[in-house]
Amino acid sequence: MGPPMKLVIDTDAGIDDAVALLLALAFPGADITAITCVTGNVSLEKVTRNVGVVLDAANAPVIPVYAGCSKPLRQTPPIHAEEIFGPDGLGGAAVETRRPVQGQHAALALLELARRHSGQLTLLALGPLTNVA
């Protein structure tokens, strides 16, 4: 196997994205460089917490997590899917985390990471593409 694939995962971390994060963390050919968060399934605050909860559950190493857009570019207010994913986006697990969130906005972090790792990153967009836009 060649060098690991450098991934940046952009997520709105509900149950479905939690499974995708766990799969990426378990894949030996992946190096998760950063995780960017966007509102979608639940609010941005819940998404960033959910990412930390998933990283904790997987006993993952430190991976920078960035909070991004808290609302869609055009649709206001945001429409969440709590009736499907539960009030916290993780089926009501109500688990907390102490994982920090970086101070830089996710959209700016995506630009900086793309420049720093020019041609080496794979963006895995699991949520709305607001940060990417």
Side-chain angles (χ1 to χ4, degrees):
M1 186 185 300
M5 177 178 19
K6 289 184 173 295
L7 287 178
V8 174
I9 300 174
D10 189 66
T11 179
D12 63 340
I15 297 167
D16 54 343
D17 291 11
V19 172
L21 285 170
L22 290 170
L23 289 169
L25 287 164
F27 184 64
D31 171 19
I32 302 175
T33 304
I35 300 173
T36 54
C37 301
V38 63
T39 195
N41 290 325
V42 290
S43 69
L44 181 62
E45 179 182 323
K46 292 176 183 178
V47 170
T48 56
R49 187 202 57 233
N50 291 351
V51 167
V53 167
V54 171
L55 293 174
D56 288 347
N59 199 26
V62 174
I63 298 171
V65 175
Y66 299 89
C69 296
S70 61
K71 63 180 184 170
L73 293 177
R74 296 186 62 175
Q75 169 191 318
T76 53
I79 298 172
H80 301 299
E82 293 171 340
E83 68 281 358
I84 296 168
F85 294 99
D88 61 356
L90 294 178
V95 179
E96 293 300 323
T97 182
R98 292 179 186 235
R99 296 237 179 188
V101 176
Q102 304 299 308
Q104 185 177 36
H105 191 281
L108 296 175
L110 287 169
L111 288 171
E112 182 180 311
L113 289 163
R115 287 183 183 124
R116 187 180 329 144
H117 303 281
S118 182
Q120 300 173 6
L121 290 178
T122 298
L123 176 62
L124 178 57
L126 302 175
L129 299 174
T130 317
N131 289 334
V132 178

